[in-house]
Amino acid sequence: MKRRELLLRGASTGAVATLLPVLSPSSFAAETQFGPGLPDGLPMPAPLAGPSPRLPETDPSRTLLERGWRFHEGEVTVPEPADHNATYLSVKAGNARGAAALSFDDSDWQTVDLPHDWAIAQDVSETANVSQGYRPRGIGWYRRLLRLDENQKGRRLELHFDGIATHATIWINGSEVAHSWSGYSSVIVDLTPFARFGDELNWIAVRVDAQAREGWWYEGAGLYRHVWLVSRPALSIETDGVHCDPVRQPDGTWQVPVEVRLGNVGEEPGQAEIAARLLDPEGREIHRSSGTAAVVPLEQAFATCTLLPGTVKLWSPDTPVLYCVEVDLLRAGKVVDTRRQFIGFRTVHFDPARGMILNGVETKLKGVCIHQDHTGVGTAIPDALALWRLQRLKAMGCNAIRMSHNAPAKEVLDWCDRLGFLVMGENRLFNPAPDYLAQLEWMVRRDRNHPSIVLWSVFNEEPMQGTHAGVEMVRRMRAAVRKLDTQRPVTAAMNGSFYNPENVSTVVDVMGFNYYQGDYDKFHELHPDKPITSSEDTSAYETRGAFESIQAGQVITSFDKESASWGATHRDTWKMIAERPFVAGGFVWTGFDYHGEPTPYAWPSVSSFFGIMDLCGFPKTAFGIHSAHWRDDAPVIWLAPHWTWPEYEKPGSDGQTLEVFAITNADAMELRLNGEVIERVPTADRIMGHSFKVPYRPGRIEALALRGGKVVARAVHETTGEPVALRLTPARHALASDGEDVQAITVDCVDARGRHVPTANLPVDFTISGGRIIGLGNGNPNDHGSEKGSKRALFNGLAQVIVQGGDSGNRLTLSASTGGLRPARLALARAPREPRAQVPTVPAEMPIADWRRSALFPQKPDPALAPVDGDNNSWDFVRSGVAAPVGGGGWRSYRTRFTPWKKIAAQGGTLHFAQITGAAEVWLDGKLVARKTDAAAAPLTAAIPPEAGTNGAPRTLAVLVEAKDGAPSGLTGRVYVTP
């Protein structure tokens, strides 16, 4: 395939954007075959080759807007307007006050890069909300300066905030342009009517209200997903405007109907042509088609065509084969806009008797529910870390994910497509009112092309699920989903009321059970024509590395013995699902621990116990249990506990008996201690596993998985010595030099023989060069240590450091040290990779944009001349950068008041006039500070002296400008102040 280059003008410069080649899914699938751990006892996989892969760009009109944001934690108080005139002006467009004002002083705010979750940096506090992980959230403000080139005039400009936690108000240049009522929906702002170009800069201000809660789990706070500047032609493809979900025809052939939504912000009607191409997994063109549409100004239209793929390779969790639909928009034969959408060919049917049928094969949903936070970074999860988390699930044999209880980041679904996950997309807020129905519609429109999405859920555990009102609400929400996506069924995650005379199970396509496993048979008997799945199950508790429950210490054994009253153990739950072919599958609560909801405890526990893995992605015993349940591609065996028990090696402790648990997907099992066979299990129970009572003797305990009498897998624990050294194990052998790639580094101790010490609980200090530490953790639900900084203690042998490299390409070096042990040093090679384009940052400057302009006087007026207070009619309201009307000769006075930034007030600054046309005098607080004698357009500067003791008092600025007869005049360039 010839690579094509599209001439697409970028956000701030004219640029040529090259579409990236299609990535083969096989390059991802090979990376997911993690084993149970390393031979030396470290329960994490060996590092993978190279850096984390990066997703291909699908919309070249986007540029990341993530550098150089200013952030303030807390509310910014806005005083009441001083008088009637101030009140009058305060409600006018562009005249926002406080931190949303153009001239607001944010010079002492923190500079941050996005994504950013400010809550995860908070110290935990017993007075904060338990469900949110005892982390204060509150209010936060973000501001950023943006320069748009003159060549952007006439184009469609948008800002995309992929996720803001939680409620948000956005201002552009002092005008309130958007509100967001959910932390999980994108906010798409049409920047076009508010944009300023060239030297006239744009201010973006965002107020985030994280006091608002949508969930009973940790939700983070701030601009925690990607932010983009989008620049497209006036007539262009709308955001999420390509729908191309493959459809299997009754005769078994496939078609790809392509529908493209076009918009036109121009002043003239436009005729557009779309050209669609279907590319196979190797990037070769299979078929092309085209369609046309006429689009009138400020309206939308649809262009359609159909692609015929012929014989295709099917997408499935085992073979996640992706094709690509490439759509070009042409005007006068030239490509002006393009999108790429990766698709998969697969059929999904939920059968009331046989469960889920994928590509004609009965397939169990071996699923987990996940929230979207991780240790150290909270909800601001980098793309590479999101991939790593999914790979950890895939290593366990997981094939399905319920996005609980909200739309995930788009990048997560892109990885799911490539790794082969079956996804239940879930709506956050159960409400068919317009504001909230729009959130549901946005989710479906954005995600309906993903082959990974197989089911839509409109709610989770709503008390109105068994009422007439609840039924009516679901009817409307289901209709909205089906209008946008006719192929995927709709469910609702119900936790009761299944048998009420009116309940929502009657108006969904698939019945979703949250728990209530004892009702599977009854419901199926009453409703034999209704497909069933578990939408949430288990809710079992485990503390990683603990093998005894200690209630006083809020520690729970990881022998899979304890669960919530409404749930069951991992083994009992899967047994109920596996034995019933009519139950499509299940979704364990949860795949990972998460901050908040520390059920069954409260303070001092600050994160959950539900996870199959802990907050760091370190495995609990449940990981081994589900590996045996779900993996059919390779033999698996898991053994617990570790075999380092120094307390049982003391005099007088002989004969201490320990419980030992082992589980395998093989036919038989054998348990050995120091080479002696303890027990043989001729028929292994793949679901429940086996428990043994073993007298403790130091040495080597191992479980062997047998097939046909041959050992096909083994799990080994050895009694280790005292720790002598720290060790750092990366997730991958290299880090990309793009400034975005991250790695989760595992920290542990080893004994004199280099073996992992599972009982070490030591404080560790870290230093780094060539990058930065963005998060720390250890998976302990009761640890109150900061997840930022450079210190973290090991918990039951493990801790995690998340590092991010800069874009310099310099080698990243991480060092770890603790008293009495040999330190560790890890040097990560940097793999060359161009950074993704970022909108350039703009140096901070205080704009002075809004002026009052007098009438034309024949003589130079007194600089003290001013409109009477409350007079909004005698003097014009004007902005700098706009020339006065051409007419006769004379003088005009330009007048404004501004409050210098604190730094300028204290130290002084410089007043800049980018251009004044005409002779001019500049008066500051009644004093002449600059004079321009030439009538030609030219810049002018004036010193602003410090004002001791004024505490940032307002300053009065008057500029007298002479107009020559028939010539332009005025403040024809921007006016601003710098420190």
Side-chain angles (χ1 to χ4, degrees):
M1 178 186 72
K2 263 191 171 181
R3 294 180 183 167
R4 302 176 304 123
E5 293 189 338
L6 305 180
L7 187 60
L8 297 167
R9 283 178 285 175
S12 57
T13 58
V16 175
T18 304
L19 294 179
L20 299 178
V22 179
L23 293 182
S24 168
S26 61
S27 64
F28 295 94
E31 296 176 353
T32 66
Q33 303 305 312
F34 292 157
L38 297 180
D40 59 17
L42 183 67
M44 293 296 286
L48 297 172
S52 299
R54 190 164 74 190
L55 289 164
E57 181 56 74
T58 57
D59 181 355
S61 69
R62 305 185 307 171
T63 305
L64 286 166
L65 182 64
E66 297 188 338
R67 303 288 181 259
W69 286 82
R70 311 282 280 184
F71 171 68
H72 170 78
E73 184 184 338
E75 185 59 283
V76 176
T77 303
V78 182
E80 284 292 307
D83 50 32
H84 170 74
N85 191 55
T87 303
Y88 172 87
L89 295 174
S90 71
V91 297
K92 300 297 182 180
N95 281 2
R97 303 174 68 241
L102 276 69
S103 58
F104 179 79
D105 182 4
D106 63 10
S107 58
D108 58 352
W109 286 16
Q110 178 186 0
T111 299
V112 299
D113 291 339
L114 307 182
H116 180 242
D117 172 7
W118 83 72
I120 199 61
Q122 305 295 319
D123 292 331
V124 294
S125 168
E126 191 173 1
T127 61
N129 184 270
V130 55
S131 300
Q132 299 284 340
Y134 292 104
R135 281 178 164 79
R137 298 170 75 217
I139 306 293
W141 281 85
Y142 295 84
R143 286 169 55 90
R144 195 191 193 279
L145 202 56
L146 171 67
R147 173 178 280 114
L148 296 169
D149 281 359
E150 292 283 354
N151 64 10
Q152 298 297 299
K153 280 185 179 178
R155 294 176 64 80
R156 172 69 176 263
L157 302 173
E158 293 179 348
L159 294 176
H160 291 183
F161 297 85
D162 284 355
I164 307 175
T166 300
H167 292 176
T169 305
I170 301 170
W171 290 263
I172 303 294
N173 295 328
S175 289
E176 199 168 317
V177 297
H179 296 272
S180 174
W181 307 117
S182 175
Y184 305 100
S185 300
S186 293
V187 187
I188 298 172
V189 178
D190 184 1
L191 176 62
T192 316
F194 306 99
R196 298 167 183 172
F197 303 94
D199 288 338
E200 192 172 15
L201 303 180
N202 299 268
W203 273 106
I204 306 167
V206 184
R207 179 185 182 271
V208 180
D209 178 4
Q211 295 178 128
R213 286 189 294 273
E214 292 180 77
W216 48 96
W217 58 88
Y218 177 81
E219 297 186 272
L223 306 183
Y224 74 95
R225 290 181 183 169
H226 290 306
V227 176
W228 309 84
L229 174 65
V230 176
S231 175
R232 299 171 180 150
L235 198 163
S236 55
I237 301 170
E238 290 283 321
T239 297
D240 301 324
V242 176
H243 185 198
C244 55
D245 199 21
V247 178
R248 188 174 186 270
Q249 303 303 303
D251 63 1
T253 61
W254 288 88
Q255 294 183 1
V256 183
V258 180
E259 180 184 72
V260 181
R261 184 162 47 101
L262 304 170
N264 184 2
V265 299
E267 298 180 2
E268 301 294 333
Q271 188 71 25
E273 178 187 357
I274 62 159
R277 302 194 310 150
L278 180 63
L279 309 178
D280 72 9
E282 286 69 45
R284 296 172 299 214
E285 182 178 316
I286 299 172
H287 189 240
R288 66 170 58 207
S289 186
S290 62
T292 60
V295 193
V296 300
L298 303 180
E299 294 291 345
Q300 296 182 353
F302 291 89
T304 62
C305 65
T306 300
L307 294 167
L308 304 176
T311 302
V312 299
K313 298 176 182 178
L314 296 181
W315 183 97
S316 73
D318 294 331
T319 57
V321 179
L322 293 179
Y323 291 69
C324 182
V325 174
E326 188 176 85
V327 177
D328 292 333
L329 173 64
L330 296 92
R331 301 293 310 281
K334 293 183 178 180
V335 175
V336 297
D337 198 7
T338 199
R339 298 289 185 280
R340 308 182 89 203
Q341 182 64 57
F342 291 89
I343 62 172
F345 293 88
R346 87 284 183 277
T347 60
V348 176
H349 171 64
F350 285 83
D351 186 270
R354 301 166 58 200
M356 190 188 75
I357 301 173
L358 176 68
N359 299 329
V361 178
E362 294 175 15
T363 304
K364 280 287 188 188
L365 293 166
K366 304 170 181 177
V368 298
C369 302
I370 59 172
H371 284 316
Q372 60 172 10
D373 70 311
H374 190 86
T375 194
V377 296
T379 56
I381 298 180
D383 295 350
L385 185 59
L387 168 63
W388 183 84
R389 284 164 56 87
L390 294 173
Q391 288 175 311
R392 295 293 294 133
L393 293 173
K394 196 74 175 180
M396 182 176 62
C398 174
N399 70 1
I401 300 174
R402 177 184 177 218
M403 300 298 176
S404 307
H405 304 285
N406 49 265
K410 177 184 180 297
E411 292 77 15
V412 171
L413 292 179
D414 289 339
W415 291 128
C416 286
D417 291 342
R418 287 159 174 78
L419 293 173
F421 284 102
L422 303 162
V423 174
M424 179 190 295
E426 189 157 67
N427 176 58
R428 172 74 291 271
L429 297 172
F430 181 43
N431 193 334
D435 282 346
Y436 301 98
L437 197 65
Q439 296 172 18
L440 173 62
E441 292 169 334
W442 160 82
M443 179 182 73
V444 176
R445 187 178 292 112
R446 185 195 70 167
D447 298 341
R448 60 187 172 176
N449 294 318
H450 286 281
S452 54
I453 295 278
V454 297
L455 196 61
W456 300 112
S457 172
V458 294
F459 74 58
N460 173 69
E461 298 183 355
E462 288 291 338
M464 297 175 68
Q465 61 198 349
T467 67
H468 174 74
V471 169
E472 290 300 313
M473 293 165 74
V474 170
R475 284 183 60 228
R476 285 155 177 77
M477 297 175 79
R478 179 187 179 277
V481 172
R482 299 295 282 176
K483 184 176 180 180
L484 293 168
D485 182 1
T486 60
Q487 297 204 81
R488 294 171 180 83
V490 173
T491 189
M494 297 181 68
N495 64 333
S497 306
F498 320 120
Y499 311 116
N500 285 18
E502 287 192 272
N503 72 83
V504 303
S505 71
T506 63
V507 290
V508 295
D509 306 304
V510 176
M511 171 62 192
F513 273 92
N514 276 21
Y515 309 99
Y516 283 86
Q517 289 192 288
D519 283 85
Y520 290 166
D521 295 337
K522 178 180 176 180
F523 188 90
H524 179 57
E525 183 178 347
L526 291 173
H527 306 282
D529 296 328
K530 175 72 70 174
I532 292 174
T533 189
S534 167
S535 41
E536 181 177 319
D537 51 63
T538 311
S539 279
Y541 308 130
E542 292 184 10
T543 300
R544 177 187 56 77
F547 298 97
E548 178 185 5
S549 292
I550 306 172
Q551 188 166 355
Q554 301 188 182
V555 173
I556 304 174
T557 177
S558 59
F559 273 131
D560 190 34
K561 292 183 176 181
E562 299 190 26
S563 65
S565 60
W566 59 85
T569 65
H570 292 275
R571 292 168 291 166
D572 287 338
T573 297
W574 185 248
K575 183 177 177 65
M576 293 282 285
I577 293 169
E579 291 176 345
R580 288 163 173 79
F582 62 85
V583 178
F587 294 90
V588 176
W589 190 264
T590 51
F592 299 90
D593 281 340
Y594 49 95
H595 295 91
E597 198 177 7
T599 307
Y601 298 116
W603 185 269
S605 298
V606 296
S607 62
S608 79
F609 294 82
F610 291 120
I612 295 171
M613 289 174 275
D614 69 13
L615 265 170
C616 302
F618 297 144
K620 305 179 187 180
T621 305
F623 186 97
I625 290 171
H626 287 292
S627 296
H629 290 171
W630 293 345
R631 286 194 66 169
D632 296 314
D633 61 320
V636 168
I637 190 163
W638 191 271
L639 177 66
H642 59 77
W643 209 242
T644 300
W645 300 94
E647 62 268 40
Y648 300 143
E649 298 178 33
K650 298 176 182 177
S653 62
D654 293 346
Q656 179 69 39
T657 298
L658 296 184
E659 180 179 0
V660 172
F661 172 79
I663 190 168
T664 181
N665 62 358
D667 302 331
M669 177 194 303
E670 187 173 284
L671 185 69
R672 296 179 181 177
L673 178 60
N674 296 330
E676 176 187 344
V677 176
I678 300 295
E679 190 163 345
R680 290 188 176 94
V681 181
T683 303
D685 188 336
R686 181 178 184 177
I687 292 181
M688 302 305 293
H690 300 272
S691 293
F692 311 91
K693 296 295 184 181
V694 180
Y696 178 71
R697 297 195 302 273
R700 175 186 176 97
I701 190 168
E702 56 185 329
L704 310 179
L706 306 171
R707 284 182 181 162
K710 295 182 178 180
V711 177
V712 293
R714 71 177 66 224
V716 177
H717 295 306
E718 294 184 351
T719 305
T720 64
E722 291 294 319
V724 300
L726 290 169
R727 176 172 58 179
L728 299 170
T729 304
R732 310 187 73 99
H733 283 299
L735 193 66
S737 60
D738 59 2
E740 290 188 75
D741 195 13
V742 304
Q743 278 207 33
I745 310 296
T746 299
V747 188
D748 76 325
C749 290
V750 296
D751 69 1
R753 293 172 56 186
R755 297 174 300 183
H756 168 68
V757 181
T759 55
N761 291 283
L762 300 171
V764 183
D765 293 330
F766 303 96
T767 59
I768 192 169
S769 62
R772 62 187 182 121
I773 295 171
I774 64 171
L776 301 156
N778 60 21
N780 182 358
N782 302 318
D783 193 328
H784 294 181
S786 174
E787 296 184 20
K788 299 294 185 181
S790 60
K791 300 176 184 292
R792 197 64 172 173
L794 300 178
F795 172 64
N796 289 340
L798 297 171
Q800 186 176 81
V801 183
I802 304 169
V803 300
Q804 185 171 53
D807 56 12
S808 66
N810 294 334
R811 183 179 293 268
L812 183 146
T813 302
L814 179 69
S815 299
S817 62
T818 190
L821 271 65
R822 189 166 65 248
R825 182 177 179 273
L826 172 68
L828 282 175
R830 303 302 298 278
R833 180 187 292 163
E834 282 297 314
R836 290 197 288 182
Q838 292 272 357
V839 176
T841 57
V842 180
E845 59 183 47
M846 179 181 177
I848 302 180
D850 296 308
W851 297 76
R852 301 296 301 276
R853 184 181 66 199
S854 73
L856 186 68
F857 296 104
Q859 302 295 325
K860 181 169 63 176
D862 188 327
L865 180 68
V868 177
D869 285 346
D871 179 359
N872 293 305
N873 298 287
S874 300
W875 289 47
D876 291 334
F877 289 90
V878 298
R879 295 184 57 79
S880 55
V882 179
V886 174
W891 288 79
R892 292 184 177 88
S893 177
Y894 290 78
R895 193 173 185 87
T896 192
R897 283 171 65 80
F898 70 99
T899 301
W901 289 350
K902 291 185 284 291
K903 184 176 182 181
I904 296 170
Q907 302 177 10
T910 304
L911 175 64
H912 301 262
F913 295 86
Q915 183 173 278
I916 299 178
T917 302
E921 294 179 354
V922 179
W923 295 76
L924 180 64
D925 296 331
K927 298 178 181 178
L928 181 67
V929 294
R931 176 181 280 119
K932 174 176 177 288
T933 58
D934 192 345
L940 185 65
T941 60
I944 300 178
E947 292 288 319
T950 64
N951 197 27
R955 315 290 291 272
T956 299
L957 180 61
V959 183
L960 308 180
V961 181
E962 183 180 21
K964 295 295 186 181
D965 188 18
S969 66
L971 306 181
T972 50
R974 80 184 196 278
V975 183
Y976 59 100
V977 179
T978 58

